[in-house]
Amino acid sequence: MEYFYICGKRGMASKTKENYIKALFYLHQKNEEISLSDLGAELKVSKPTANDMVKKLKAEGIVVSERYKPIKITAKGKKLAATVIRKHRLSEMFLSQIMKFGWEEVHEIAEELEHIKTGKLFDRMDEILGFPTTDPHGSPIPDKNGNFNKREYRRLSEMPVGSTLIIKALRDSSAEFLQYLNKKSIKLGTKISVEHVEHFDGSYTIAYNGISNRVFGKSICDRLLVEEV
Amino acid sequence: MEYFYICGKRGMASKTKENYIKALFYLHQKNEEISLSDLGAELKVSKPTANDMVKKLKAEGIVVSERYKPIKITAKGKKLAATVIRKHRLSEMFLSQIMKFGWEEVHEIAEELEHIKTGKLFDRMDEILGFPTTDPHGSPIPDKNGNFNKREYRRLSEMPVGSTLIIKALRDSSAEFLQYLNKKSIKLGTKISVEHVEHFDGSYTIAYNGISNRVFGKSICDRLLVEEV
DNA sequence: ATATTTTGTTAGATTACTCTAACTTTATAC
DNA sequence: GTATAAAGTTAGAGTAATCTAACAAAATAT
Ligand SMILES: [Mn+2]
Ligand SMILES: [Mn+2]
Ligand SMILES: [Mn+2]
Ligand SMILES: [Mn+2]
């Protein structure tokens, strides 16, 4: 006998599905075509598990996929992803600006908040925050229609000696990296000037906050997104 | 082959279990001994479903139960319930005071927020709110050790003619009742005086907000908790 | 004291999500 | 071009939460 299994309203994506959709969206940004292995790795699940879910998402029109072929996210999938990412980033901004959490603390909490169904919670956050366009790590907050107003920033590691720059966003928002930046007093908006580039190892010598001669390795400069003043 | 199925950290109650624990706590407040039928009804699940969960909760020391005997919640169960209720009521207070939601809107959102694992979210709410002791409906917020500072208010329906009272809490926090109170401009803290009691049907004629001769039926007066001025 | 109703239990099944082990297909390397 | 490696699939199974149908025990009513 059939009965309806209710996880919230009918047709609504579960927390698990939402996490898959988000992962698919992030992977698609790096590479149009998504592999099952990457999807599994991203979500820390086995390939058969990821495969099963891809079949379900395919049936719902969220991805297209054929046997042995890479997965592609559909327009519907991207829109769903955007609504979850919107909830995530508005939450991070709210936690940071209104509740005074550090930018290294907000992601973990937002990872849970993003699955809350009641949309007006996020609309109210949006309103209280004054309709922000970026999250505390400089990533864009999609609008209610799922459109990202994506700014194309350059990596600090690409910029020449003599540049005067502002830190606009991060390519890594892990708590570890953010704690490192805290220690170095680097924030979004910090103005820096490139004093020297060591071409041998890609390290940068920069000045900021009135102090010069500060050295950062290539891997750090690769993670910092900047804009010319 | 056995493996660990992780829903959050090991030993942590799932969202479903938390809802059972909360329901058990509420039922225990009305009646020390809890029936499976009541538990099922409260959570809108079948008796076998409730029965299965009770067996699991028993194995975890959250309830005591024997075949065909009523269920009792243990001290451990009460403490767990209190932490969920604390999250719920702090959330309601935050949504109401800081995010300016109506008291009729907060319960639904808090029902989801209460399951968020990250404790510091609620500690920060507590701090921002100035360590409140009651929620927007006048119910006590348990402290971090699970202690309720329960005030024993009287029902308006028990009070005699001539009483001067303040509305302190509600015995029903459904959106429908709260919307009714909104329409009648009744809030927590509203000062009323009992002008007449119709013993035939239990209806009350009261004055408040400078207007007298306002009639409320018994079922309404039964839901309002008051304190003498 | 028996009949009826309520309450609780058992059995069998479904959905969602996950795993490991074994296999197949496709890609890469030499 | 075959050998090896990587990626994807299938099969079988487990946990958590839920259901219905059928039955058993306890409480209530007559
Ligand atoms: Mn984040
Ligand atoms: Mn998440
Ligand atoms: Mn509530
Ligand atoms: Mn809940």
Side-chain angles (χ1 to χ4, degrees):
Chain A
M1 209 98 307
E2 62 188 301
Y3 56 87
F4 293 105
Y5 202 95
I6 313 285
C7 299
K9 294 204 193 78
R10 264 280 259 52
M12 263 203 187
S14 67
K15 180 170 170 167
T16 308
K17 266 186 193 160
E18 286 184 341
N19 283 336
Y20 274 91
I21 294 167
K22 214 165 48 126
L24 285 160
F25 185 85
Y26 288 135
L27 292 169
H28 130 94
Q29 287 191 311
K30 287 194 228 162
N31 200 328
E32 187 68 34
E33 309 214 307
I34 305 154
S35 77
L36 263 183
S37 304
D38 286 354
L39 182 59
E42 178 76 21
L43 290 163
K44 298 180 176 66
V45 296
S46 69
K47 283 183 285 174
T49 300
N51 201 17
D52 280 358
M53 184 59 84
V54 166
K55 282 174 188 166
K56 286 179 202 162
L57 296 175
K58 183 187 172 185
E60 294 177 39
I62 289 163
V63 299
V64 288
S65 91
E66 281 167 275
R67 270 175 122 240
Y68 297 109
K69 296 242 169 67
I71 304 147
K72 272 178 262 177
I73 187 167
T74 63
K76 181 181 176 185
K78 284 179 203 169
K79 186 149 186 178
L80 282 172
T83 72
V84 180
I85 293 169
R86 179 177 157 80
K87 288 177 181 178
H88 181 100
R89 294 188 177 163
L90 280 173
S91 296
E92 288 189 341
M93 206 59 179
F94 189 86
L95 291 165
S96 148
Q97 301 300 117
I98 308 299
M99 298 190 75
K100 306 298 178 195
F101 281 101
W103 66 348
E104 77 285 359
E105 299 177 289
V106 298
H107 177 82
E108 188 192 343
I109 308 175
E111 204 58 51
E112 300 189 69
L113 285 170
E114 71 190 2
H115 303 293
I116 285 180
K117 300 297 169 203
T118 317
K120 64 183 169 186
L121 175 64
F122 303 97
D123 293 340
R124 185 60 56 85
M125 285 182 185
D126 201 16
E127 204 180 313
I128 291 170
L129 290 163
F131 310 102
T133 56
T134 59
D135 79 9
H137 316 109
S139 302
I141 298 173
D143 67 25
K144 288 183 92 171
N145 303 313
N147 300 117
F148 286 81
N149 193 357
K150 204 179 172 185
R151 301 278 303 266
E152 280 304 335
Y153 298 120
R154 310 279 299 278
R155 302 181 191 182
L156 171 55
S157 57
E158 296 168 345
M159 307 308 288
V161 172
S163 317
T164 303
L165 308 161
I166 287 181
I167 310 278
K168 290 298 237 176
L170 308 175
R171 289 184 55 242
D172 171 9
S173 299
S174 68
E176 302 76 51
F177 183 53
L178 295 168
Q179 264 146 12
Y180 171 83
L181 295 180
N182 285 347
K183 218 162 52 187
K184 301 290 177 183
S185 302
I186 291 176
K187 299 186 186 65
L188 294 192
T190 296
K191 190 174 171 179
I192 67 177
S193 43
V194 180
E195 298 177 319
H196 177 73
V197 181
E198 181 57 64
H199 286 289
F200 178 66
D201 67 353
S203 68
Y204 273 59
T205 306
I206 63 177
Y208 65 93
N209 290 350
I211 301 163
S212 71
N213 230 42
R214 308 189 71 161
V215 181
F216 291 88
K218 182 175 172 24
S219 75
I220 303 296
C221 302
D222 241 15
R223 291 170 158 91
L224 294 170
L225 293 170
V226 298
E227 188 174 66
E228 270 172 299
V229 178
Chain B
M1 209 98 310
E2 61 188 303
Y3 57 85
F4 294 104
Y5 201 93
I6 314 286
C7 297
K9 294 205 191 78
R10 263 279 257 55
M12 264 204 185
S14 66
K15 180 171 172 167
T16 307
K17 267 187 194 160
E18 286 183 342
N19 284 335
Y20 275 91
I21 295 168
K22 213 165 44 123
L24 285 162
F25 184 85
Y26 288 136
L27 291 170
H28 129 96
Q29 286 192 310
K30 283 192 231 164
N31 200 328
E32 187 68 33
E33 311 214 305
I34 304 153
S35 75
L36 263 181
S37 303
D38 286 353
L39 181 59
E42 178 76 21
L43 289 163
K44 297 179 177 67
V45 297
S46 70
K47 283 183 285 175
T49 300
N51 202 16
D52 280 358
M53 184 58 84
V54 166
K55 282 174 188 166
K56 287 179 202 163
L57 296 176
K58 183 188 173 185
E60 293 177 41
I62 291 163
V63 298
V64 287
S65 90
E66 281 168 274
R67 266 176 125 241
Y68 297 108
K69 297 244 167 68
I71 306 147
K72 272 179 261 175
I73 187 166
T74 64
K76 181 180 175 185
K78 283 179 203 169
K79 186 149 184 177
L80 281 172
T83 72
V84 180
I85 293 170
R86 179 177 156 80
K87 288 177 180 180
H88 181 101
R89 294 186 179 164
L90 279 173
S91 296
E92 288 189 341
M93 207 58 178
F94 189 86
L95 291 165
S96 148
Q97 301 299 117
I98 308 298
M99 298 190 75
K100 306 300 178 195
F101 281 101
W103 67 347
E104 77 285 359
E105 299 177 290
V106 299
H107 178 83
E108 187 192 343
I109 307 176
E111 203 58 51
E112 299 188 70
L113 286 170
E114 72 190 2
H115 304 293
I116 285 180
K117 300 297 168 202
T118 318
K120 64 183 169 186
L121 175 64
F122 303 98
D123 293 339
R124 186 60 55 86
M125 284 182 185
D126 201 16
E127 203 180 314
I128 291 171
L129 290 164
F131 311 103
T133 56
T134 59
D135 81 6
H137 316 109
S139 302
I141 297 173
D143 68 25
K144 288 182 94 174
N145 303 314
N147 300 116
F148 286 80
N149 192 355
K150 205 179 173 186
R151 302 279 302 267
E152 281 303 333
Y153 299 119
R154 310 279 299 278
R155 302 182 192 182
L156 173 54
S157 57
E158 296 168 343
M159 307 308 289
V161 172
S163 317
T164 303
L165 309 161
I166 288 180
I167 309 277
K168 290 299 239 176
L170 307 176
R171 290 184 56 241
D172 170 10
S173 299
S174 68
E176 302 75 51
F177 183 53
L178 295 167
Q179 265 146 11
Y180 171 82
L181 295 180
N182 285 346
K183 219 162 52 187
K184 301 289 178 185
S185 303
I186 291 177
K187 300 187 187 60
L188 294 192
T190 296
K191 189 175 172 178
I192 66 178
S193 43
V194 179
E195 299 177 319
H196 177 73
V197 180
E198 181 56 63
H199 286 286
F200 178 67
D201 67 352
S203 67
Y204 273 60
T205 305
I206 65 178
Y208 65 93
N209 291 348
I211 301 162
S212 72
N213 229 40
R214 308 188 73 163
V215 181
F216 291 88
K218 181 175 173 25
S219 75
I220 302 297
C221 302
D222 240 16
R223 292 170 158 91
L224 294 170
L225 292 170
V226 298
E227 190 175 63
E228 269 171 300
V229 179

